[in-house]
Amino acid sequence: MKEALTLLLIILLPTLTFGQLPSAHIFPSVELARVDSVFQEFDRKDSPGCAMAVIDKGKIRYKKGYGMANLEHNIPITPDTVFDVASVSKQFTAFAIALLARRGRLSLDDSVRKYVPKLPEFGKPITISHLVHHTSGLRDFGGLLIMTGWRMDNPVNKADFINIVSKQKGLNFTPGEKFTYSNTNYALLGMIVERVSGRSFADFMKAEVFGPLDMNNTIVRDDPLIIVPNRASNYTTQKAGGYQLNYVWGFTKVMGPSNVHTTLEDLAKWDANFYDERLGGAGIRDLMYSEGKLNSGRSSAGYAFGLFSDSYRGLRTITHNGAGGGSFVLTRFPDEKFSVAVLCNRYYTNTDAARLAERVADLFLADKFEETKTAQIDSPNPSKGSPPKDELTRYAGVYWMEDSSDRITFAVQEGNLTTQYNNDKIFPLVYVSEGRFFNKDEGLFYTFGQAKSGLVPLEITASGTNELYKAEYRPPPNLRPEKLKEYAGTYYSSELEISWSIDFVDGKLMVRRKGFEGKALEPSYLDGFFFTHSDETTRVTYLLNFHHPKDGKINQFTVSSGRNAGIVFTRAKQ
């Protein structure tokens, strides 16, 4: 009897998942209870949650669901639950482009206007490669629509997309100059796949990608009214407690940036293709991992074909997360042939799937991790000691990111310099040397330059990368009421086909436009104001820069917000 049972186990062993075996069979040092503890907060019957898979050499070794897929019908998340993985979808879109390029159906150096002639000419051609690597300079269409008053629970179709993109007269930057993530890039890639293949994006992906890889539970949901069996609902927290449905970000008929619906099992099949190159042939992996190059020759922030090339605790990673209705990630450690997929149906501001995946990896790859190179400066530089207080106060103030509405506030608290990005968490900084500080919580270096005309330039670099961001301190203005009145008026944008009204009310400037009424403009610096708009679907900060010509009469302003910069509004003639 004992021999027969042993033989049966040997026969069945290859078909069993890690979750059905003692942990010693695959990862001797990891107890499954420790993995489950990472998701403890989600493992409840009154909470949305996550599905998680540990993938070793392209095979799932452990998978489990935590929390609820649907709170209304009391349906739990299982390893087979289907999720809309948001921007994790971009790697599938990029793969479709890679397939077409390898088949000679298109070239990565082709001008986008060859396939989408309604895209405006911006002086320098925008290529397919620019789109793939987010170096086109194209503004993000979602943010543009929100500026017009569009609610993101109103389905966006291709005509809406083309209409607003075709009216743009400017870019965020010259193509190839920088990296800025923009969903417009991948929406155009989706359209290119359709126009080259002669099929809908959903049909192409099913026939050419998902089908050949036996990803039988994966689809591109190209209509928000399509029923997807076993799909998890997305939720966000309520201020008063509990949860409410968060269906907004899946409401689009524009394919390419998102809308892939998949499962843990199918993601493992996708992951395996990066080792066996079953689909796409030899070299497809190298192409998918190839990073874009900027005009300067530098890398495009480690962004490849819908994938970020990065590192975690000394190990190379290939990853991309998704946010919107939930929080999703597939993180691969290619040199270890090890991956973690985490798919959560709770709004990304309440859940960090990427961090959850790292915590799982911490358990399985503990003996392979190295100490991070930045650990050596966790304490002040001994050759410099602590900075004098007057040096800290010299850098205190609000700095505005280049071509963005984002701001960084530096303050002196309890003898240390602290930093805060917009209204996010406050972090203490480690003093490295004169004018140079380190944020060890986020792995960022801040280097302050010399003041020019009272404006202190700031460079921000990410540890271990060549990413470079710039910001600038600008002193807050002291504006009298009679000065504020000069900004009041009605302004129109031909790029958005909408008017914004700037009114002087009770000693303040108020901005009004479709979608909200009476938002106060906060003075930022001379001729610069910002405001934040929040509702149940979005939270957006806008920075307005007024043009103050020498003749004295203000005649226009530009708006920057997130991934969109420099949109012109001109004062209407009175």
Side-chain angles (χ1 to χ4, degrees):
M1 180 67 180
K2 182 177 179 181
E3 289 78 7
L5 180 59
T6 301
L7 179 61
L8 181 62
L9 281 172
I10 293 173
I11 294 172
L12 292 178
L13 185 60
T15 68
L16 296 176
T17 67
F18 179 35
Q20 295 168 309
L21 291 170
S23 58
H25 283 269
I26 305 296
F27 293 100
S29 63
V30 179
E31 298 177 4
L32 299 186
R34 295 181 65 195
V35 181
D36 295 340
S37 68
V38 173
F39 300 89
Q40 184 176 2
E41 69 170 294
F42 304 99
D43 199 13
R44 300 165 44 181
K45 293 184 177 180
D46 62 349
S47 170
C50 304
M52 180 278 307
V54 175
I55 308 169
D56 180 52
K57 299 178 178 63
K59 300 292 184 182
I60 291 183
R61 303 307 185 186
Y62 183 50
K63 59 182 180 179
K64 191 170 181 179
Y66 309 87
M68 307 304 290
N70 187 288
L71 293 172
E72 294 172 287
H73 300 288
N74 200 34
I75 300 172
I77 291 174
T78 74
D80 300 318
T81 297
V82 176
F83 293 83
D84 175 356
V85 294
S87 286
V88 175
S89 306
K90 286 184 171 66
Q91 59 197 284
F92 297 104
T93 303
F95 188 82
I97 291 293
L99 284 180
L100 292 171
R102 287 169 69 85
R103 293 171 183 173
R105 301 292 301 279
L106 57 79
S107 168
L108 297 177
D109 294 325
D110 284 344
S111 169
V112 177
R113 297 190 75 250
K114 176 179 179 180
Y115 306 97
V116 189
K118 287 190 176 181
L119 184 71
E121 293 190 50
F122 294 105
K124 181 177 179 180
I126 295 173
T127 67
I128 292 176
S129 180
H130 287 140
L131 301 182
V132 168
H133 298 107
H134 292 296
T135 58
S136 69
L138 288 165
R139 296 162 176 161
D140 187 277
F141 76 94
L144 294 173
L145 287 171
I146 291 173
M147 284 190 196
T148 70
W150 193 290
R151 286 182 56 87
M152 296 311 290
D153 53 0
N154 181 13
V156 181
N157 59 39
K158 294 176 186 176
D160 301 319
F161 168 73
I162 286 295
N163 179 61
I164 197 160
V165 171
S166 65
K167 287 183 171 59
Q168 299 306 297
K169 298 177 181 178
L171 298 169
N172 288 333
F173 49 81
T174 301
E177 181 183 337
K178 300 179 184 180
F179 166 89
T180 293
Y181 190 94
S182 172
N183 286 298
T184 300
N185 294 320
Y186 274 70
L188 288 169
L189 290 175
M191 295 183 70
I192 291 171
V193 169
E194 292 184 332
R195 295 180 181 186
V196 171
S197 69
R199 288 181 279 185
S200 74
F201 184 75
D203 287 346
F204 179 90
M205 297 302 294
K206 180 179 179 180
E208 303 292 342
V209 180
F210 305 144
L213 290 177
D214 300 321
M215 296 173 65
N216 300 320
N217 293 303
T218 300
I219 67 165
V220 173
R221 190 186 187 210
D222 56 2
D223 187 330
L225 300 182
I226 291 176
I227 294 174
V228 180
N230 204 28
R231 180 174 66 93
S233 299
N234 287 327
Y235 297 91
T236 187
T237 55
Q238 293 178 309
K239 291 182 179 179
Y243 300 93
Q244 66 183 34
L245 285 167
N246 184 22
Y247 55 88
V248 172
W249 296 98
F251 260 55
T252 179
K253 297 181 180 180
V254 178
M255 299 300 103
S258 61
N259 285 58
V260 168
H261 288 55
T262 191
T263 64
L264 295 174
E265 194 73 42
D266 280 3
L267 284 177
K269 295 174 181 178
W270 168 251
D271 186 69
N273 197 61
F274 284 84
Y275 302 115
D276 59 29
E277 297 183 308
R278 171 184 167 190
L279 178 61
I284 191 70
R285 176 181 59 244
D286 291 340
L287 179 57
M288 289 291 291
Y289 287 174
S290 62
E291 300 175 18
K293 296 295 182 182
L294 303 179
N295 298 336
S296 64
R298 294 171 51 242
S299 165
S300 57
Y303 200 88
F305 275 60
L307 296 165
F308 279 101
S309 178
D310 207 341
S311 65
Y312 176 66
R313 296 183 63 189
L315 300 183
R316 186 165 72 105
T317 60
I318 301 293
T319 187
H320 205 296
N321 63 359
S327 182
F328 319 94
V329 75
L330 174 60
T331 298
R332 179 179 306 118
F333 294 82
D335 299 329
E336 287 66 40
K337 294 186 177 181
F338 177 87
S339 301
V340 182
V342 177
L343 312 177
C344 304
N345 65 332
R346 194 170 74 174
Y347 193 40
Y348 72 97
T349 57
N350 312 122
T351 308
D352 187 349
R355 179 60 191 131
L356 293 169
E358 289 172 349
R359 291 176 61 191
V360 173
D362 286 342
L363 300 175
F364 290 95
L365 301 178
D367 60 338
K368 296 181 180 294
F369 285 131
E370 301 174 2
E371 291 299 320
T372 60
K373 295 180 180 180
T374 56
Q376 59 185 330
I377 60 168
D378 279 356
S379 58
N381 189 321
S383 64
K384 294 289 184 180
S386 299
K389 185 176 180 180
D390 62 344
E391 181 179 346
L392 297 182
T393 56
R394 187 193 319 162
Y395 303 128
V398 178
Y399 292 69
W400 294 88
M401 297 293 291
E402 185 179 53
D403 299 328
S404 171
S405 62
D406 295 326
R407 63 195 186 280
I408 306 174
T409 302
F410 293 93
V412 180
Q413 297 183 9
E414 298 180 355
N416 292 314
L417 194 65
T418 64
T419 184
Q420 181 182 29
Y421 189 79
N422 292 332
N423 293 319
D424 296 341
K425 185 178 179 182
I426 297 174
F427 294 106
L429 297 180
V430 175
Y431 178 66
V432 179
S433 60
E434 184 176 358
R436 188 166 169 83
F437 297 80
F438 182 62
N439 180 345
K440 64 181 180 181
D441 295 279
E442 297 187 311
L444 297 175
F445 289 95
Y446 301 94
T447 304
F448 296 89
Q450 296 296 317
K452 294 181 179 180
S453 302
L455 307 183
V456 181
L458 170 69
E459 290 189 347
I460 306 165
T461 53
S463 176
T465 76
N466 59 4
E467 295 176 53
L468 173 66
Y469 305 93
K470 293 184 178 181
E472 186 176 66
Y473 169 75
R474 298 184 179 182
N478 182 16
L479 299 175
R480 299 184 301 274
E482 56 269 23
K483 180 64 176 178
L484 288 174
K485 290 179 182 179
E486 295 180 11
Y487 298 98
T490 300
Y491 299 78
Y492 178 78
S493 171
S494 59
E495 294 179 286
L496 303 178
E497 296 185 322
I498 190 173
S499 292
W500 285 18
S501 177
I502 310 296
D503 301 320
F504 181 75
V505 180
D506 297 330
K508 294 182 179 180
L509 288 178
M510 308 290 289
V511 57
R512 293 182 172 86
R513 58 99 161 144
K514 180 182 176 182
F516 59 73
E517 295 293 333
K519 292 288 181 180
L521 286 178
E522 301 291 336
S524 309
Y525 44 80
L526 183 62
D527 294 332
F529 299 80
F530 79 94
F531 71 96
T532 300
H533 170 60
S534 300
D535 60 24
E536 60 271 26
T537 65
T538 56
R539 177 181 173 85
V540 184
T541 297
Y542 298 94
L543 179 64
L544 280 62
N545 281 297
F546 286 84
H547 180 57
H548 205 157
K550 293 181 179 179
D551 63 11
K553 187 167 180 63
I554 295 170
N555 59 6
Q556 70 178 29
F557 63 79
T558 59
V559 178
S560 297
S561 177
R563 300 164 184 164
N564 298 308
I567 299 164
V568 177
F569 281 75
T570 302
R571 185 193 289 270
K573 293 182 179 180
Q574 298 176 342

